[in-house]
Amino acid sequence: MGDDGGGGGKPNAMLDFLATFPTLSGAPPTTMQELSDGVAIFEILSEIGPDYFDPTTIARHLGDNWALKSSNLRKLVRNLEWYFHEELKKEADFENLNSQLGNIARNSDEAGIAHLIELVAAAAVTCDLKGMFVGRIMRMQPESQLQLKGVIERGMKRLSVYDGDTDDADELEMNFDTTPDANEEEENDDGALFEADHLKDPSAVDREDLETALLETRREVQQHKSQIAEVREDSEKAQAKLRALVEDLQDRLAKRQDELITAEEELRTSTADLDDAKSKIHDLEEEKAQLDDELDVASAKATQLHKAEATVIAYRKKLEGVGVINQQMTDLEDQAAGYLRQIMDLEAEVKKTTTLSRQVDSLQKQLAGLQRDKLESSDTQKNSSAEIGELKNLLSAAEKAKKMYQDELKELREQQAAMVDVPEVEGFDRQSEAQGISPADREKTMRLEIENQKLKEQIQAMSQNGDAPVAPIESAPAPAAPSADTAALEKEVAELKNALAKKEADNKKIGSDKDKLEAYTKRTLAKFQDKYLVALQECKAKLKEKQDKIEILESRSATEKTAQKREERLLSSTIYELGLAIMQNRLKER
């Protein structure tokens, strides 16, 4: 039989037919090339003939290994040939199919795969479970059903009746297939022959034996002819049944198509009605929404109208009571004009709010700086007040020392008065003092007077400079405190004032440097954020993408390694099997 080559554009129908089998272990095939390893077809045939097809005996996950694919296909065709011969009693051109297996395994030849699927479809509609498979075909799409019908017809054309004794029957037909006229001629010839033999040989026994033998041979010939006729009748009956089945299937298919067409028309009409109903419902909903909106607007206008009526009545009463409508109108217009001017002024002020807010921010910053300055000045004032307190303490100590010296001076004068017998100490004469007082006492008194004078001058200067009030010191004729202590105090006060001024200058300088440093750090931080944060985010994103790519490549390499190991194991097993087969063949040849 010739090859029709791919089924005339019906691979989709073939794939839909194969997808109806639940014995597929994976997803249904979507292309003809996925069937080149024979796994899916073997699993489908395991449902048609489970005794002849065991899907666990074939190799899976072959990839591009055409040698293993070819071994799977050869096993598939061999089991399919056994199934057709032993179960279905049919014959097909399996030699032609075997010649196409190499091209199917290497190049995924669609024509060879279609040839194989046609035989599978023919087996499905002629096996014992054909009712179930025909029902699945009837549940397919109408277009796929029509295409699959052509596939089944081509598959049935590829089949012929298989009989193990066909050669003997052909020989009997060749030897004994003669017409009745020829048989009668043979009988006449035999009768003439027997009559001649009877004339020649009077023995009647031999003639009867020959006649019986001839009758037996003729009877056997008739039996063989009857058997051949029965076989032909059986084949004709089978073909008639097949034709009836095909016609029934065609009738059912036509009915199903008509029902499907009517159902599709009903579905279209119902969908159109549903769409119309939905559009009407949508229009009604929109109208309802519009009516609701209009009702809300009308209710709002009604409330406003009631309010306006109330205000009009009130104004009317007021106008009736006052009677100066024009004046009030002018006043109202003036008020409205004033309100308008105020509104415009307010809008202008609102526009100025941005500048005012900026000024407020700047004033707040200035206020914060002034507060800091105030705190610093308060600290400096506290420090200066503490220093002034210390100076006051020193001054009070100096006054106490002065009073002590004055007391000692009074005692000395009293002693001198007692010694010299002078009535008053204060108005003593320097000559008598010089005569009665020792040189050491005289020197001491002179020093005290000089120091007292200096202390008075210092106190007057401090009072003139605005320091704390100091009680006036009574001029005493007695000598003042030592001048060394007052000079040390003055020097220490001057040094403290200079140190305080330096500290204040240093604090002001430190504050200005601090403000400058804060402004510089803020500017640098803003520049850093604007410039480097975006780059940092981009670097993070790129790093994440690289990590994702690395993970994907690692997973891909792991899968490729596992696939390579699996292929190596399969290749080693096939090489081992080939070696064993070669060794067995050699042993058999020996």
Side-chain angles (χ1 to χ4, degrees):
M1 292 184 183
D3 190 4
D4 294 338
K10 300 180 178 63
N12 293 328
M14 294 179 183
L15 295 174
D16 294 339
F17 171 66
L18 298 179
T20 59
F21 287 85
T23 54
L24 290 171
S25 61
T30 57
T31 59
M32 299 291 282
Q33 286 77 13
E34 295 180 7
L35 304 172
S36 61
D37 57 355
V39 176
I41 299 174
F42 213 97
E43 291 175 349
I44 289 165
L45 288 170
S46 66
E47 185 178 3
I48 297 172
D51 296 333
Y52 295 88
F53 300 95
D54 186 5
T56 60
T57 59
I58 58 173
R60 298 172 183 271
H61 307 292
L62 305 180
D64 296 331
N65 194 344
W66 64 269
L68 296 178
K69 289 182 180 180
S70 180
S71 64
N72 279 352
L73 292 172
R74 286 193 179 87
K75 187 181 293 183
L76 173 63
V77 174
R78 186 171 61 251
N79 292 350
L80 187 62
E81 186 176 3
W82 290 348
Y83 177 72
F84 271 98
H85 288 173
E86 297 178 2
E87 188 70 21
L88 302 179
K89 303 299 181 181
K90 300 289 182 181
E91 180 61 71
D93 192 3
F94 290 105
E95 294 181 359
N96 186 14
L97 186 59
N98 283 320
S99 65
Q100 297 177 2
L101 295 180
N103 195 12
I104 294 171
R106 290 184 179 180
N107 303 322
S108 300
D109 185 24
E110 292 188 2
I113 295 170
H115 186 179
L116 191 57
I117 294 172
E118 288 172 0
L119 293 178
V120 172
V125 298
T126 56
C127 67
D128 295 335
L129 301 175
K130 59 186 177 182
M132 180 177 66
F133 299 126
V134 170
R136 292 179 184 174
I137 292 170
M138 297 304 293
R139 287 192 292 272
M140 292 171 61
Q141 296 293 329
E143 185 179 358
S144 299
Q145 289 180 9
L146 290 174
Q147 293 176 0
L148 190 62
K149 178 184 174 183
V151 174
I152 294 169
E153 288 177 355
R154 282 195 302 278
M156 296 302 294
K157 288 179 182 179
R158 294 181 188 276
L159 301 181
S160 62
V161 178
Y162 173 76
D163 192 359
D165 299 329
T166 55
D167 297 334
D168 298 335
D170 293 336
E171 290 178 359
L172 289 171
E173 288 179 1
M174 290 173 66
N175 293 326
F176 300 104
D177 192 6
T178 58
T179 59
D181 296 333
N183 291 330
E184 289 178 356
E185 290 176 357
E186 288 177 358
E187 288 176 358
N188 294 328
D189 293 336
D190 291 336
L193 181 62
F194 289 139
E195 289 176 356
D197 289 337
H198 179 67
L199 292 173
K200 291 178 183 180
D201 189 5
S203 176
V205 177
D206 294 335
R207 188 182 69 181
E208 291 177 357
D209 292 336
L210 291 172
E211 288 178 354
T212 54
L214 182 60
L215 291 172
E216 287 178 358
T217 54
R218 287 179 177 176
R219 193 180 295 111
E220 289 178 357
V221 169
Q222 292 295 330
Q223 287 178 358
H224 285 296
K225 287 182 178 180
S226 63
Q227 289 178 358
I228 291 167
E230 289 177 358
V231 170
R232 287 178 179 174
E233 288 176 359
D234 292 336
S235 64
E236 289 176 357
K237 289 178 181 179
Q239 289 179 359
K241 288 180 180 179
L242 183 60
R243 291 192 193 95
L245 180 61
V246 171
E247 290 176 357
D248 188 13
L249 289 173
Q250 288 177 354
D251 295 335
R252 289 182 182 178
L253 181 61
K255 290 179 181 178
R256 294 290 183 183
Q257 287 178 354
D258 295 334
E259 292 176 357
L260 181 62
I261 290 167
T262 54
E264 287 179 351
E265 290 178 355
E266 292 176 355
L267 181 61
R268 289 193 192 96
T269 54
S270 60
T271 51
D273 295 336
L274 182 61
D275 293 333
D276 294 335
K278 286 182 178 178
S279 62
K280 289 180 181 179
I281 289 167
H282 184 66
D283 294 336
L284 291 173
E285 287 179 352
E286 288 181 353
E287 290 178 359
K288 182 183 176 183
Q290 289 178 358
L291 292 173
D292 291 335
D293 295 335
E294 290 177 358
L295 182 61
D296 294 334
V297 172
S299 61
K301 287 182 179 179
T303 53
Q304 289 179 1
L305 184 60
H306 289 301
K307 291 180 181 178
E309 288 178 353
T311 53
V312 166
I313 291 167
Y315 284 131
R316 188 176 292 171
K317 289 179 180 179
K318 289 180 181 179
L319 291 173
E320 289 176 356
V322 177
V324 284
I325 298 170
N326 294 325
Q327 187 66 31
Q328 286 184 357
M329 290 294 291
T330 54
D331 294 338
L332 289 172
E333 288 177 356
D334 295 334
Q335 287 180 1
Y339 290 152
L340 183 60
R341 285 193 294 273
Q342 290 178 2
I343 289 166
M344 292 174 69
D345 295 335
L346 290 172
E347 288 178 353
E349 290 178 357
V350 167
K351 290 179 181 178
K352 294 178 181 178
T353 51
T354 56
T355 56
L356 292 174
S357 61
R358 292 175 185 173
Q359 291 178 1
V360 168
D361 294 333
S362 61
L363 290 173
Q364 286 179 355
K365 291 179 181 178
Q366 292 178 3
L367 182 61
L370 292 172
Q371 287 179 355
R372 286 195 299 271
D373 296 335
K374 182 180 179 181
L375 292 172
E376 291 176 358
S377 62
S378 62
D379 293 333
T380 53
Q381 187 177 3
K382 288 179 181 179
N383 293 326
S384 59
S385 61
E387 290 176 357
I388 290 167
E390 290 177 357
L391 292 172
K392 286 180 180 180
N393 293 326
L394 292 172
L395 184 60
S396 61
E399 289 177 354
K400 289 180 180 179
K402 181 180 177 182
K403 288 180 180 180
M404 182 179 68
Y405 289 144
Q406 287 178 357
D407 294 335
E408 289 180 356
L409 182 59
K410 286 179 180 180
E411 290 177 356
L412 288 173
R413 285 179 178 177
E414 289 175 356
Q415 290 176 4
Q416 187 179 4
M419 290 174 64
V420 181
D421 196 8
V422 179
E424 290 181 0
V425 179
E426 292 181 359
F428 68 95
D429 189 7
R430 290 185 178 273
Q431 293 179 359
S432 61
E433 182 180 357
Q435 291 177 1
I437 297 171
S438 62
D441 292 334
R442 194 181 302 118
E443 184 179 0
K444 188 174 180 180
T445 54
M446 289 175 69
R447 286 179 178 178
L448 288 174
E449 287 178 355
I450 292 166
E451 289 177 0
N452 192 5
Q453 188 67 28
K454 287 181 178 181
L455 284 172
K456 286 181 180 180
E457 291 176 356
Q458 185 178 358
I459 289 167
Q460 288 178 359
M462 288 175 68
S463 62
Q464 289 177 359
N465 289 329
D467 292 338
V470 181
I473 299 171
E474 295 178 356
S475 60
S483 62
D485 294 332
T486 57
L489 288 172
E490 288 176 356
K491 187 177 181 180
E492 187 175 359
V493 169
E495 289 176 356
L496 289 172
K497 286 181 179 180
N498 293 327
L500 182 61
K502 288 180 181 180
K503 290 291 183 183
E504 289 178 354
D506 292 333
N507 289 329
K508 289 181 181 178
K509 187 177 180 181
I510 289 167
S512 63
D513 294 334
K514 182 181 178 183
D515 295 332
K516 291 179 181 178
L517 183 61
E518 286 178 355
Y520 177 74
T521 52
K522 286 180 181 179
R523 287 196 299 273
T524 52
L525 284 172
K527 290 179 181 179
F528 178 80
Q529 288 178 354
D530 295 334
K531 187 175 180 181
Y532 294 104
L533 284 178
V534 177
L536 183 63
Q537 291 177 357
E538 291 178 355
C539 291
K540 287 182 179 179
K542 290 180 180 178
L543 183 62
K544 188 176 181 182
E545 290 178 356
K546 288 183 179 179
Q547 288 179 354
D548 295 336
K549 287 181 181 178
I550 290 166
E551 290 176 358
I552 291 167
L553 292 172
E554 288 178 353
S555 63
R556 188 183 296 173
S557 63
T559 54
E560 289 178 354
K561 286 181 181 178
T562 53
Q564 185 178 2
K565 289 180 180 178
R566 184 169 60 251
E567 289 178 356
E568 289 176 355
R569 289 196 295 270
L570 291 171
L571 186 61
S572 62
S573 64
T574 52
I575 292 168
Y576 180 73
E577 289 177 357
L578 289 171
L580 286 176
I582 292 167
M583 291 173 67
Q584 289 176 0
N585 291 326
R586 288 181 179 176
L587 290 171
K588 287 179 181 179
E589 290 175 358
R590 291 179 182 176

